[in-house]
Amino acid sequence: MASKDQYEERQNRGSVEQFYLKQKPKTSFPEKEITSVKEMLLLYIPLLAVLAAGDNEDAFQEEISFKIIYSSSFYNRSCVKSRNSAWLGDLQTLREDNSGSVIFLRPWSMGNLTKKEIKELLEYHHALSIEMPNKLHRHARQWQLKYPFEVQATGGCELHPGGAIVAFYQFAYQGSELLHFQNTSWMPSVKDEITAQPMSRVFSQYHVANKITQKMLSDTCPRFLLSILDAGKADLQREVKPEAWLSTGPNPGPDRQMLVCHVSGFHPKPIWVKWMRGEQVQQRTQQSGILPNADGTWYLQVFLEVEATETSGLYCRVRHSSLGGQDIILYLERHRSSRGWIIVAVMVPLVLLTALAFGLRKRWSHCEPPATPLPLE
């Protein structure tokens, strides 16, 4: 005989699957316009080459993905705050405001699809997770979920430099992946009999929803990814040359120096920056994260800690697709020499002004007082 919880689980699962059937998205491309994803790939391999091109085997070998992220903050059993967003690589393309309305952050955010089709895509992702708060509340004690906690469902597809498109869908708790979607089921990503395994069994019971999910990942997402690459190619392919300069950071210790190479204003994001001596890359080179500028370009810092007596011959080398093979090379000696000239240029006028002021003061101090006129008798 089924328990009360099992009965409620079956009832809820049935109602949710009916909801998915009603909400099944119609997002698709007309077959007359697009024959196959493979044929479309042939058109976008050159674009991917531009986005992920490089000068050596270690540089710029990056994939580009489209993903929708659903996040929920569970403050307590009665308070949950959820958010949806969409991303093309590191660029956020869509988000929802507080009322649930879709906001397009780029002119090409909807690709070649209509706003209605994009909204259906987001609504479908939201529909997949509509029962998640109820499920997590209901099983919180059993799965040892401790309030407050954060969950995240990330689904999408990734275009690799070789042309393959790989779909993905993961579920994370407190920033760590617990489950991943495979075929039409949810699988544990970690060996965890308390949370991951029982959670995967519950999520896998939604057979209709999981089949729709598989269809979205294997068909709709690849088509949309290629569509948004096409719509945004003018922006994605734009090239802006970087500017670079050197500085020194706080001394890390006695007789040691921290050298800093700054590179800013470049687009696209992939870049290669190293401290070198001769043809040898300095192994102690450390790189900050690549951060966005307000104008959509990028900024980077590369550090090198050295002995103060070992700076001779060091230079910073910058490679970027916008440079056409002409690397930027900044020598530390020239930087110091130019800085020395700046110091001289500042000091010479100061010395001259000081000398002039001293001379005037000396002359004033030796001036004879004017003769006192004799009184008239």
Side-chain angles (χ1 to χ4, degrees):
M1 184 174 179
S3 66
K4 180 179 179 181
D5 288 343
Q6 291 173 329
Y7 175 77
E8 290 181 355
E9 199 75 54
R10 286 198 297 268
Q11 290 291 104
N12 289 326
R13 188 166 67 249
S15 62
V16 171
E17 292 193 345
Q18 287 298 318
F19 176 80
Y20 284 130
L21 288 174
K22 293 179 182 178
Q23 297 291 324
K24 184 176 180 180
K26 300 176 182 178
T27 304
S28 62
F29 290 76
E31 293 189 6
K32 291 183 180 180
E33 297 180 10
I34 296 174
T35 56
S36 71
V37 171
K38 289 184 178 180
E39 291 180 7
M40 290 181 68
L41 275 172
L42 297 177
L43 301 175
Y44 298 110
I45 292 298
L47 171 60
L48 188 61
V50 171
L51 296 176
D55 292 319
N56 73 353
E57 64 276 9
D58 297 323
F60 317 146
Q61 297 305 308
E62 296 184 356
E63 300 80 18
I64 187 165
S65 64
F66 174 78
K67 61 191 174 200
I68 298 177
I69 303 176
Y70 169 84
S71 301
S72 281
S73 300
F74 289 72
Y75 300 102
N76 50 53
R77 291 189 63 86
S78 60
C79 183
V80 180
K81 184 177 181 180
S82 299
R83 301 164 298 279
N84 274 299
S85 62
W87 300 76
L88 179 65
D90 295 315
L91 298 175
Q92 187 173 1
T93 59
L94 300 172
R95 70 177 176 85
E96 286 183 337
D97 60 16
N98 294 331
S99 65
S101 300
V102 175
I103 298 176
F104 299 93
L105 302 178
R106 307 275 171 174
W108 40 266
S109 291
M110 55 183 141
N112 292 335
L113 305 182
T114 66
K115 289 185 178 181
K116 180 181 179 182
E117 288 171 325
I118 294 296
K119 187 176 181 180
E120 287 175 346
L121 183 65
L122 286 176
E123 286 177 346
Y124 172 75
H125 183 78
H126 181 68
L128 287 175
S129 54
I130 197 169
E131 272 295 296
M132 193 179 299
N134 292 335
K135 284 288 176 289
L136 296 179
H137 281 316
R138 181 175 301 150
H139 295 280
R141 181 176 297 179
Q142 174 189 349
W143 295 342
Q144 295 187 6
L145 308 178
K146 298 180 180 179
Y147 296 95
F149 62 86
E150 186 90 10
V151 299
Q152 194 175 68
T154 305
C157 51
E158 189 172 66
L159 176 59
H160 289 224
I165 297 183
V166 179
F168 57 88
Y169 200 5
Q170 296 105 14
F171 178 84
Y173 167 74
Q174 300 290 57
S176 298
E177 183 181 324
L178 281 184
L179 312 176
H180 63 274
F181 193 78
Q182 183 175 322
N183 296 325
T184 58
S185 300
W186 287 93
M187 308 295 293
S189 299
V190 293
K191 293 183 178 180
D192 181 358
E193 297 181 358
I194 297 176
T195 306
Q197 291 185 10
M199 186 182 291
S200 68
R201 288 193 291 268
V202 170
F203 285 8
S204 294
Q205 291 172 355
Y206 294 91
H207 302 295
V208 174
N210 291 337
K211 287 181 180 178
I212 298 174
T213 299
Q214 175 63 19
K215 176 70 172 177
M216 295 288 290
L217 292 175
S218 63
D219 180 61
T220 307
C221 186
R223 292 174 181 268
F224 180 73
L225 174 57
L226 298 180
S227 169
I228 200 172
L229 285 174
D230 179 46
K233 63 184 177 183
D235 192 14
L236 297 170
Q237 285 182 302
R238 73 185 178 106
E239 293 192 341
V240 183
K241 293 182 179 181
E243 296 181 357
W245 66 96
L246 304 180
S247 71
T248 56
N251 290 338
D255 300 323
R256 299 189 68 81
Q257 279 192 322
M258 180 64 73
L259 309 178
V260 187
C261 183
H262 306 258
V263 187
S264 183
F266 57 91
H267 191 279
K269 184 179 181 181
I271 195 167
W272 187 93
V273 183
K274 297 291 182 182
W275 279 100
M276 303 183 69
R277 179 182 280 116
E279 295 299 319
Q280 299 297 319
V281 174
Q282 300 303 290
Q283 298 302 320
R284 297 189 298 273
T285 296
Q286 296 183 346
Q287 181 174 306
S288 71
I290 300 180
L291 303 175
N293 289 320
D295 62 356
T297 61
W298 302 93
Y299 173 75
L300 171 69
Q301 290 180 321
V302 177
F303 307 91
L304 178 64
E305 181 182 336
V306 295
E307 295 284 347
T309 58
E310 296 181 355
T311 59
S312 178
L314 288 174
Y315 64 93
C316 177
R317 188 168 200 142
V318 180
R319 293 174 179 170
H320 189 257
S321 59
S322 66
L323 297 174
Q326 301 296 318
D327 298 352
I328 295 176
I329 297 178
L330 299 176
Y331 282 93
L332 188 61
E333 284 84 356
R334 294 179 184 176
H335 165 68
R336 287 179 170 172
S337 176
S338 62
R339 184 172 62 178
W341 279 111
I342 292 173
I343 293 174
V344 170
V346 172
M347 290 299 296
V348 168
L350 287 177
V351 171
L352 292 175
L353 287 173
T354 302
L356 180 61
F358 181 77
L360 290 174
R361 182 180 178 185
K362 185 176 180 181
R363 181 179 177 184
W364 179 262
S365 63
H366 287 81
C367 279
E368 296 293 337
T372 304
L374 296 174
L376 296 174
E377 293 184 5

